[in-house]
Amino acid sequence: MSNRKLMVEICNAKNLMPKDGQGTASAYVIVDFDGQRRRTKTISRDLNPQWDEKIEFLVHDVASMATEILELNVYNDNKKTGKRSTFLGKVKITGSTFPQSGSEALVYYPLEKRSVFSQIKGEIGIKICYVDEEPPADPAAEEKKPEAAETPPAETEEKPPEEKKPEEETKAEEKPAEEEKKEEKTTEDQKKEDAPATAPAAEAAAPATPPPPPPVENAAIAQSPKPKQVDESLQLARKHSNLDPDVVSLSNHHRGSSAFNLVDRMPFLYVRVVKAKREDKETDHSTIYYAKLAIGTHSITTKEQSATKPWDQVFAFDKEGLNSTSLEVSVFDRKKKVTEDNKEEVTEACLGTVSFELTEVPKRVPPDSPLAPQWYTLENSPENSPVTDVMLAVWLGTQADETFQEAWQSDSGGLIPETRAKVYLSPKLWYLRLTVIQTQDLQLGSGPEPRVKNPELFVKAQLGPQLFKTNRTTVGSSSTSSNPTWNEDLVFVAAEPFEPFLVITVEDASNGQTVGHAKVQVASIDKRTDDRSTLGSRWFNLVGDESRPYAGRIHVGVCLEGGYHVLDEAAHVTSDVRPTAKQLSKPAIGVLEVGIRGATNLLPVKTKDGTRGTTDSYVVAKYGPKWVRTRTILDRFNPRWNEQYTWDVYDPCTVLTIGVFDNGRYRIGEDDKPSKDVRLGKLRIRLSTLDTNRVYMGLYSLIVLLPNGAKKMGEIEIAVRFSCSSWISLLQAYSTPMLPRMHYVRPLGPIQQDMLRHNAMKIVTARLGRSEPALGQEVVQFMLDSDTHTWSMRRSKSNWFRIINGLSKAASLARWLDSICTWAHPPTTVLVHVLLLAIVLCPHLILPTICLYAFLIVALRYRYRMQAPVTMDPRLSQVDSVGPDELDEEFDGFPSSRTPDQVRIRYDRLRALAGRAQTLLGDVAAQGERLEALCNWRDPRATGIFVVICLLASLVFYIVPFKAFLLGWGFFYMRHPRFRGDMPSLPINFFRRLPPLSDQIL
C-alpha cells in the first residue's frame, strides 16, 4: 500500500491589511491539516510578501482525504515590538479539490474573516497537490527515523503561543510576547523529560504497528493525534484507496442508505451455471458441452465450451414475464465425427436435466452474500454418460443484485452490448488561448514567384478540426513594419486527452503561399487558473518547405485556461457551471437522485418482422458531465426500467435533462450499418424549483416535434429528490456569480462564446460516439439542444409571446390606473385618494408600505405554488400555432435542401415578418428622438415652448410646496369622468408633434 503526502506550496500574498500601526505588516502563515501543523517564515514589513515555501503533510487516511479541511491562517508577527500577534485572514480548502501531482497550478484565494468585525482584505497564492509514494522496502531503517523526528528543528523556537493550542487560536487574536517565551522554555523542558519515557514505549509498539513515515523537511511546530476517534466497526469498513478524491463523492453515503428507494423492486429469477462434472478424465477436444435453460416458452443456452473449461454465466429472467412455474436446466454435448466418405457428422445428445420449482427457490436481497453454487445430479441421464453432475445456483432477487449488470437479461435481449445500461462521462474541456504577438526574420519571396512589394500576412492556427485566423497585416520596408505584429488572441476548445499538436502557420495572403509553420505540443502547454498568473511567451522557429528549413520565427503566448467553464450545452439549460481547474471547484451542496421508473402507452416507431409495430425504448439522463443510459426494454409499449441514479449538485440553478429514445443501433440495417435511434420525447427539470428533501413522483408527457407537427409519444414516470444537508450553503449559492471569475474578468464576446460552445458540442458528440457501446450523435445533439441557434418561426413566436406576457403586467397596471381615473369602481377610487393623501402627508411610509405589501402578496401566493415540477410546455412552445411549412422549415438543414420555389415562399414570409419588426423598431426609435428634440432646437418653436414651461415651472415649484403640487396633480389625474374630455391631453399632443428623424431616412 502506498503512502500519500499532501504538498502545499505557500507562494505569496497580495494587498494585505496593514496591522503594525505603520502602514505595513510582517506576515507569516500557519497551515493545519489532519491534526498536523506547519508554519512559514516571517516576511518583515511587506504587504505583498513572497514566501515560496513547500510544506508536506502526511495523509493518515487516504479514503477520507476528500472530507478533510486544509486551513491556512495568516498572522502579523509583532514580537519585535513586544505586542501581540494579529490576525490577517484565513482560507479553508476542502480535500475534494486537491489535484494529483503534475496538475497543480497557482491559485489565489481571497482571505476570509474570522468574525463579522474583523478587518480583512487581500488574497494568498497557493499550489496544492498530493503524491502517492511506495513504502520503503527496509522497515528496520524506518524505525530509527521517528527518534530523529522527535527533536524539533531550530526554526520552531520562534513559534507563537497560539500554535501550541489550536482551540485557543480561534478565540484570541493576540498573546503577549513575555508569556510566549515562558511557554517556550517550559515546553522544551517537558520534551527533554518525556523523551526517555516515551522511547521504550515506542520500541515496544514498533512490531505491532506499521513503520511511521520519514520526517518531512518542514517539521511540525505542533502536532496532535487525530482529533476524531473512529469506532471499531467503522475502522473495519474503511479501506485505504489510491483513487482520486473526486471519486469519494458526497453522495456515497446517500447511495448506501437510500439505494433503490425511488423505484420499485423488480423480481428477477437468477440462474448461475458454473460447470459440469465429467466421469472420465480423458479430454476429447472434438466434443463440446453447453447447458440449456427452459422456463415455459423461454429458452436460452450457455456458451459452448470444451470439457475442461467452465461456463460461469448468470441469467436473469423477468419474473413477471414468465409463463411457467418450473425451471429446467439441461446439459448437452455435441460431437463431430468423420464418416467413411470423409464427411463430418455432428451429433447432439442430452446428458440429463435438473428441475426446480419456482415456489421453492430461495430469495436473496443485498447486502446478503452471494448464493454459493451447488452440485446437482442430472436426471434421466443415458447410460455411460460422460457428465453426471452440474454446478449451479438459483435464487430470486431484484435489479439491485450486483450480478444484474453483467447477467444475461431476458427483457433487454440478453448480452447485446447496445442494450445494456451504461454511465458515460463527458471529456474534460479546456480553453486553449493562443496569443499571436509578432514574427521576425521572415523569409519572404524566396520561391520562384516574384516578390510582392508590401505583402499581407496573417497567422492561422489549427487544433484538430478547429481553425482560426488573425487579421491581416502589411509588411513594409522599415525596421518596425518588417517584423509584423498582431497581438491577437485565438481561443480553442481542447479536450482531454489532448490533440498531439497545435499547428501555427504564417501565410502570405498576397500570393496564397505558406511562409512557414510551427508545431506546439499541447501536452507541454502550461495551465493557469486566473488572469493574475503571467502568460509565458515563447519563440518558435518556422519551418518552410524542403528548400527552406528555416523560414523565420514567431513569438506566441499559449496556455490552457482553467478558470473558465467551457459551455458545452445551451446557456438556458446548463447543468454545470464549475471551472475546469479542479482547484477552483467548490464542495457539493447537495445530492440529486433520479429514479427512472417506467413509461406507459408508448407509440410504435418501427415494425417487427414486417407485420406489427414495436418499440425498443431506453432513457438517457444528463446532469453535469455525467450521462446515464438505462437498459433497453425490447418490444414493450409499457416498459419498466426501475433504475436509480445519483448526481452531486454544485449549483441549484441548473437543469436536469431526460430523454427517451427508441434503440435502433443494436440491429444492423440493409447497408450493414446500425440504424439511428429515434427520439420519443424529452423533459427538463430545473433544480431551483424543487423543494429540498422531498420526493416528486409522477407521469410526464413525452412530446416530440416532427415535420408534420407535434406528437405525443407516451408518458414517462420518474421520481426526483433533491437532498441538501446545509441550508446555509444552499442560500449562499444564490449570492455567488453564476459563472466562474474569469468569465467576468476577461469575458469572451457573444459571437466568440457561441462559436466555442458549438465546438465543444462537436467534441463531446464525437467523444461519446467513440464509446463502447456508442452514444449516438443524434442522441447527444438532442440532449444538448445543439440546434437552438438555427432560425425557427415557432421559436420566434414563442419568444415574442414571452415578451408580451412580461409586458402584460405593465399593461394590467395601466388598465387598473385607467379604471381608477374613470371611476369604474368608485369605492376603489376613493380608497386610492385616501392612499395618495397618506403618502403625500407621510412620505416616510412609502418604502415600508411597498415592502409590506409585497411581503403579503408573495406570502399569500405560497399556497398556489407548483406542487409538481413543470417540464416541457407545448402551449408555451407554440407547437399548435405554426403550419406544416413552418415546421418543415425548422427541420430543414443549413444550407437549405428544399426546392427554389419553397425557399422563395419562405423568404417572402420572412421578409413580411421582418417588415413588421422593422416598423416596430422605427416607432420605438421615434419616441427617443422626440425626447431628444426637446433640447436640440430642431423645432425652435417647440423647444421655445418647453424652455418657457421649464422657467414657469421653476417659479411655481419655488412658491408651491412639493406636497401640495403632488396632491393636486394626483387629484387632477383621478378626476371624475364628467370633468374629462374625449380628446387626448395637451402634453400628449405636444409630445406627438415633436419631430423625429424618420423623415431623413432614404
PDB file of all heavy atoms in Angstrom, residues 910-934:
ATOM      1  N   LEU A 910     -40.538  35.519 -44.488  1.00  0.00           N
ATOM      2  CA  LEU A 910     -39.586  36.113 -43.556  1.00  0.00           C
ATOM      3  C   LEU A 910     -39.450  37.613 -43.789  1.00  0.00           C
ATOM      4  O   LEU A 910     -39.313  38.391 -42.838  1.00  0.00           O
ATOM      5  CB  LEU A 910     -38.229  35.417 -43.711  1.00  0.00           C
ATOM      6  CG  LEU A 910     -37.120  35.865 -42.748  1.00  0.00           C
ATOM      7  CD1 LEU A 910     -37.527  35.598 -41.313  1.00  0.00           C
ATOM      8  CD2 LEU A 910     -35.821  35.147 -43.065  1.00  0.00           C
ATOM      9  N   ARG A 911     -39.532  38.028 -45.051  1.00  0.00           N
ATOM     10  CA  ARG A 911     -39.470  39.468 -45.339  1.00  0.00           C
ATOM     11  C   ARG A 911     -40.669  40.201 -44.757  1.00  0.00           C
ATOM     12  O   ARG A 911     -40.539  41.321 -44.244  1.00  0.00           O
ATOM     13  CB  ARG A 911     -39.396  39.695 -46.847  1.00  0.00           C
ATOM     14  CG  ARG A 911     -38.069  39.287 -47.468  1.00  0.00           C
ATOM     15  CD  ARG A 911     -38.117  39.447 -48.978  1.00  0.00           C
ATOM     16  NE  ARG A 911     -38.365  40.827 -49.359  1.00  0.00           N
ATOM     17  CZ  ARG A 911     -38.663  41.220 -50.607  1.00  0.00           C
ATOM     18  NH1 ARG A 911     -38.763  40.315 -51.555  1.00  0.00           N
ATOM     19  NH2 ARG A 911     -38.851  42.473 -50.875  1.00  0.00           N
ATOM     20  N   ALA A 912     -41.844  39.585 -44.838  1.00  0.00           N
ATOM     21  CA  ALA A 912     -43.031  40.226 -44.277  1.00  0.00           C
ATOM     22  C   ALA A 912     -42.917  40.350 -42.760  1.00  0.00           C
ATOM     23  O   ALA A 912     -43.256  41.387 -42.170  1.00  0.00           O
ATOM     24  CB  ALA A 912     -44.278  39.431 -44.662  1.00  0.00           C
ATOM     25  N   LEU A 913     -42.434  39.284 -42.121  1.00  0.00           N
ATOM     26  CA  LEU A 913     -42.253  39.337 -40.666  1.00  0.00           C
ATOM     27  C   LEU A 913     -41.202  40.364 -40.288  1.00  0.00           C
ATOM     28  O   LEU A 913     -41.377  41.131 -39.324  1.00  0.00           O
ATOM     29  CB  LEU A 913     -41.860  37.947 -40.154  1.00  0.00           C
ATOM     30  CG  LEU A 913     -41.615  37.832 -38.644  1.00  0.00           C
ATOM     31  CD1 LEU A 913     -42.892  38.121 -37.873  1.00  0.00           C
ATOM     32  CD2 LEU A 913     -41.096  36.441 -38.288  1.00  0.00           C
ATOM     33  N   ALA A 914     -40.101  40.401 -41.024  1.00  0.00           N
ATOM     34  CA  ALA A 914     -39.053  41.378 -40.729  1.00  0.00           C
ATOM     35  C   ALA A 914     -39.540  42.796 -40.982  1.00  0.00           C
ATOM     36  O   ALA A 914     -39.095  43.744 -40.316  1.00  0.00           O
ATOM     37  CB  ALA A 914     -37.817  41.073 -41.576  1.00  0.00           C
ATOM     38  N   GLY A 915     -40.476  42.969 -41.937  1.00  0.00           N
ATOM     39  CA  GLY A 915     -41.025  44.307 -42.171  1.00  0.00           C
ATOM     40  C   GLY A 915     -41.805  44.820 -40.986  1.00  0.00           C
ATOM     41  O   GLY A 915     -41.691  45.991 -40.607  1.00  0.00           O
ATOM     42  N   ARG A 916     -42.603  43.955 -40.352  1.00  0.00           N
ATOM     43  CA  ARG A 916     -43.341  44.381 -39.159  1.00  0.00           C
ATOM     44  C   ARG A 916     -42.385  44.686 -38.005  1.00  0.00           C
ATOM     45  O   ARG A 916     -42.583  45.652 -37.253  1.00  0.00           O
ATOM     46  CB  ARG A 916     -44.335  43.290 -38.761  1.00  0.00           C
ATOM     47  CG  ARG A 916     -45.482  43.120 -39.742  1.00  0.00           C
ATOM     48  CD  ARG A 916     -46.621  42.324 -39.127  1.00  0.00           C
ATOM     49  NE  ARG A 916     -46.252  40.946 -38.885  1.00  0.00           N
ATOM     50  CZ  ARG A 916     -46.426  39.938 -39.740  1.00  0.00           C
ATOM     51  NH1 ARG A 916     -46.967  40.193 -40.930  1.00  0.00           N
ATOM     52  NH2 ARG A 916     -46.077  38.705 -39.427  1.00  0.00           N
ATOM     53  N   ALA A 917     -41.346  43.858 -37.864  1.00  0.00           N
ATOM     54  CA  ALA A 917     -40.362  44.143 -36.825  1.00  0.00           C
ATOM     55  C   ALA A 917     -39.625  45.443 -37.104  1.00  0.00           C
ATOM     56  O   ALA A 917     -39.304  46.209 -36.181  1.00  0.00           O
ATOM     57  CB  ALA A 917     -39.370  42.980 -36.717  1.00  0.00           C
ATOM     58  N   GLN A 918     -39.376  45.705 -38.365  1.00  0.00           N
ATOM     59  CA  GLN A 918     -38.697  46.952 -38.744  1.00  0.00           C
ATOM     60  C   GLN A 918     -39.550  48.163 -38.399  1.00  0.00           C
ATOM     61  O   GLN A 918     -39.048  49.182 -37.900  1.00  0.00           O
ATOM     62  CB  GLN A 918     -38.406  46.898 -40.241  1.00  0.00           C
ATOM     63  CG  GLN A 918     -37.891  48.195 -40.846  1.00  0.00           C
ATOM     64  CD  GLN A 918     -37.713  48.062 -42.337  1.00  0.00           C
ATOM     65  OE1 GLN A 918     -36.909  47.280 -42.810  1.00  0.00           O
ATOM     66  NE2 GLN A 918     -38.497  48.817 -43.096  1.00  0.00           N
ATOM     67  N   THR A 919     -40.856  48.075 -38.644  1.00  0.00           N
ATOM     68  CA  THR A 919     -41.752  49.187 -38.300  1.00  0.00           C
ATOM     69  C   THR A 919     -41.803  49.404 -36.794  1.00  0.00           C
ATOM     70  O   THR A 919     -41.798  50.546 -36.309  1.00  0.00           O
ATOM     71  CB  THR A 919     -43.158  48.884 -38.835  1.00  0.00           C
ATOM     72  OG1 THR A 919     -43.090  48.657 -40.244  1.00  0.00           O
ATOM     73  CG2 THR A 919     -44.094  50.047 -38.551  1.00  0.00           C
ATOM     74  N   LEU A 920     -41.825  48.304 -36.030  1.00  0.00           N
ATOM     75  CA  LEU A 920     -41.845  48.431 -34.574  1.00  0.00           C
ATOM     76  C   LEU A 920     -40.567  49.090 -34.065  1.00  0.00           C
ATOM     77  O   LEU A 920     -40.618  49.968 -33.186  1.00  0.00           O
ATOM     78  CB  LEU A 920     -42.022  47.041 -33.949  1.00  0.00           C
ATOM     79  CG  LEU A 920     -42.014  46.987 -32.417  1.00  0.00           C
ATOM     80  CD1 LEU A 920     -43.167  47.788 -31.848  1.00  0.00           C
ATOM     81  CD2 LEU A 920     -42.068  45.546 -31.922  1.00  0.00           C
ATOM     82  N   LEU A 921     -39.432  48.703 -34.601  1.00  0.00           N
ATOM     83  CA  LEU A 921     -38.178  49.325 -34.182  1.00  0.00           C
ATOM     84  C   LEU A 921     -38.151  50.809 -34.545  1.00  0.00           C
ATOM     85  O   LEU A 921     -37.633  51.633 -33.784  1.00  0.00           O
ATOM     86  CB  LEU A 921     -36.997  48.599 -34.839  1.00  0.00           C
ATOM     87  CG  LEU A 921     -36.744  47.161 -34.386  1.00  0.00           C
ATOM     88  CD1 LEU A 921     -35.608  46.548 -35.187  1.00  0.00           C
ATOM     89  CD2 LEU A 921     -36.428  47.119 -32.900  1.00  0.00           C
ATOM     90  N   GLY A 922     -38.724  51.143 -35.695  1.00  0.00           N
ATOM     91  CA  GLY A 922     -38.774  52.557 -36.065  1.00  0.00           C
ATOM     92  C   GLY A 922     -39.641  53.374 -35.134  1.00  0.00           C
ATOM     93  O   GLY A 922     -39.288  54.515 -34.781  1.00  0.00           O
ATOM     94  N   ASP A 923     -40.760  52.821 -34.693  1.00  0.00           N
ATOM     95  CA  ASP A 923     -41.628  53.544 -33.759  1.00  0.00           C
ATOM     96  C   ASP A 923     -40.943  53.757 -32.413  1.00  0.00           C
ATOM     97  O   ASP A 923     -41.059  54.833 -31.804  1.00  0.00           O
ATOM     98  CB  ASP A 923     -42.931  52.777 -33.568  1.00  0.00           C
ATOM     99  CG  ASP A 923     -43.768  52.747 -34.836  1.00  0.00           C
ATOM    100  OD1 ASP A 923     -43.531  53.607 -35.719  1.00  0.00           O
ATOM    101  OD2 ASP A 923     -44.630  51.855 -34.962  1.00  0.00           O
ATOM    102  N   VAL A 924     -40.227  52.738 -31.942  1.00  0.00           N
ATOM    103  CA  VAL A 924     -39.514  52.887 -30.671  1.00  0.00           C
ATOM    104  C   VAL A 924     -38.423  53.941 -30.795  1.00  0.00           C
ATOM    105  O   VAL A 924     -38.219  54.774 -29.900  1.00  0.00           O
ATOM    106  CB  VAL A 924     -38.927  51.524 -30.232  1.00  0.00           C
ATOM    107  CG1 VAL A 924     -38.048  51.689 -28.996  1.00  0.00           C
ATOM    108  CG2 VAL A 924     -40.050  50.536 -29.950  1.00  0.00           C
ATOM    109  N   ALA A 925     -37.700  53.937 -31.923  1.00  0.00           N
ATOM    110  CA  ALA A 925     -36.645  54.932 -32.126  1.00  0.00           C
ATOM    111  C   ALA A 925     -37.222  56.338 -32.225  1.00  0.00           C
ATOM    112  O   ALA A 925     -36.607  57.309 -31.766  1.00  0.00           O
ATOM    113  CB  ALA A 925     -35.840  54.589 -33.379  1.00  0.00           C
ATOM    114  N   ALA A 926     -38.416  56.473 -32.795  1.00  0.00           N
ATOM    115  CA  ALA A 926     -39.023  57.808 -32.936  1.00  0.00           C
ATOM    116  C   ALA A 926     -39.352  58.415 -31.583  1.00  0.00           C
ATOM    117  O   ALA A 926     -39.210  59.640 -31.402  1.00  0.00           O
ATOM    118  CB  ALA A 926     -40.283  57.707 -33.790  1.00  0.00           C
ATOM    119  N   GLN A 927     -39.770  57.598 -30.624  1.00  0.00           N
ATOM    120  CA  GLN A 927     -40.073  58.155 -29.306  1.00  0.00           C
ATOM    121  C   GLN A 927     -38.823  58.725 -28.647  1.00  0.00           C
ATOM    122  O   GLN A 927     -38.857  59.783 -28.023  1.00  0.00           O
ATOM    123  CB  GLN A 927     -40.699  57.083 -28.413  1.00  0.00           C
ATOM    124  CG  GLN A 927     -41.867  56.337 -29.033  1.00  0.00           C
ATOM    125  CD  GLN A 927     -42.943  57.249 -29.595  1.00  0.00           C
ATOM    126  OE1 GLN A 927     -43.293  58.267 -29.000  1.00  0.00           O
ATOM    127  NE2 GLN A 927     -43.454  56.893 -30.766  1.00  0.00           N
ATOM    128  N   GLY A 928     -37.702  58.008 -28.761  1.00  0.00           N
ATOM    129  CA  GLY A 928     -36.467  58.544 -28.202  1.00  0.00           C
ATOM    130  C   GLY A 928     -36.001  59.798 -28.907  1.00  0.00           C
ATOM    131  O   GLY A 928     -35.457  60.717 -28.275  1.00  0.00           O
ATOM    132  N   GLU A 929     -36.184  59.856 -30.219  1.00  0.00           N
ATOM    133  CA  GLU A 929     -35.791  61.058 -30.957  1.00  0.00           C
ATOM    134  C   GLU A 929     -36.667  62.252 -30.604  1.00  0.00           C
ATOM    135  O   GLU A 929     -36.193  63.395 -30.609  1.00  0.00           O
ATOM    136  CB  GLU A 929     -35.869  60.764 -32.457  1.00  0.00           C
ATOM    137  CG  GLU A 929     -34.813  59.776 -32.922  1.00  0.00           C
ATOM    138  CD  GLU A 929     -35.098  59.242 -34.313  1.00  0.00           C
ATOM    139  OE1 GLU A 929     -36.161  59.585 -34.890  1.00  0.00           O
ATOM    140  OE2 GLU A 929     -34.262  58.472 -34.823  1.00  0.00           O
ATOM    141  N   ARG A 930     -37.933  62.028 -30.287  1.00  0.00           N
ATOM    142  CA  ARG A 930     -38.802  63.135 -29.854  1.00  0.00           C
ATOM    143  C   ARG A 930     -38.337  63.702 -28.511  1.00  0.00           C
ATOM    144  O   ARG A 930     -38.372  64.923 -28.296  1.00  0.00           O
ATOM    145  CB  ARG A 930     -40.245  62.652 -29.754  1.00  0.00           C
ATOM    146  CG  ARG A 930     -40.912  62.413 -31.106  1.00  0.00           C
ATOM    147  CD  ARG A 930     -42.411  62.184 -30.948  1.00  0.00           C
ATOM    148  NE  ARG A 930     -43.080  62.090 -32.226  1.00  0.00           N
ATOM    149  CZ  ARG A 930     -43.424  60.945 -32.815  1.00  0.00           C
ATOM    150  NH1 ARG A 930     -43.166  59.791 -32.200  1.00  0.00           N
ATOM    151  NH2 ARG A 930     -44.031  60.947 -33.978  1.00  0.00           N
ATOM    152  N   LEU A 931     -37.903  62.815 -27.596  1.00  0.00           N
ATOM    153  CA  LEU A 931     -37.366  63.319 -26.333  1.00  0.00           C
ATOM    154  C   LEU A 931     -36.099  64.133 -26.566  1.00  0.00           C
ATOM    155  O   LEU A 931     -35.888  65.163 -25.906  1.00  0.00           O
ATOM    156  CB  LEU A 931     -37.067  62.132 -25.402  1.00  0.00           C
ATOM    157  CG  LEU A 931     -38.274  61.429 -24.786  1.00  0.00           C
ATOM    158  CD1 LEU A 931     -37.814  60.213 -23.991  1.00  0.00           C
ATOM    159  CD2 LEU A 931     -39.045  62.382 -23.886  1.00  0.00           C
ATOM    160  N   GLU A 932     -35.263  63.690 -27.459  1.00  0.00           N
ATOM    161  CA  GLU A 932     -34.035  64.436 -27.756  1.00  0.00           C
ATOM    162  C   GLU A 932     -34.330  65.756 -28.450  1.00  0.00           C
ATOM    163  O   GLU A 932     -33.595  66.740 -28.284  1.00  0.00           O
ATOM    164  CB  GLU A 932     -33.129  63.571 -28.617  1.00  0.00           C
ATOM    165  CG  GLU A 932     -31.741  64.151 -28.824  1.00  0.00           C
ATOM    166  CD  GLU A 932     -30.859  63.250 -29.665  1.00  0.00           C
ATOM    167  OE1 GLU A 932     -31.325  62.157 -30.048  1.00  0.00           O
ATOM    168  OE2 GLU A 932     -29.707  63.637 -29.932  1.00  0.00           O
ATOM    169  N   ALA A 933     -35.434  65.801 -29.231  1.00  0.00           N
ATOM    170  CA  ALA A 933     -35.776  67.032 -29.950  1.00  0.00           C
ATOM    171  C   ALA A 933     -36.194  68.153 -29.020  1.00  0.00           C
ATOM    172  O   ALA A 933     -36.214  69.324 -29.426  1.00  0.00           O
ATOM    173  CB  ALA A 933     -36.898  66.751 -30.955  1.00  0.00           C
ATOM    174  N   LEU A 934     -36.556  67.841 -27.759  1.00  0.00           N
ATOM    175  CA  LEU A 934     -36.912  68.894 -26.813  1.00  0.00           C
ATOM    176  C   LEU A 934     -35.724  69.803 -26.503  1.00  0.00           C
ATOM    177  O   LEU A 934     -35.921  70.971 -26.140  1.00  0.00           O
ATOM    178  CB  LEU A 934     -37.431  68.278 -25.509  1.00  0.00           C
ATOM    179  CG  LEU A 934     -38.849  67.674 -25.536  1.00  0.00           C
ATOM    180  CD1 LEU A 934     -39.122  66.965 -24.233  1.00  0.00           C
ATOM    181  CD2 LEU A 934     -39.882  68.777 -25.781  1.00  0.00           C
TER     182      LEU A 934
END
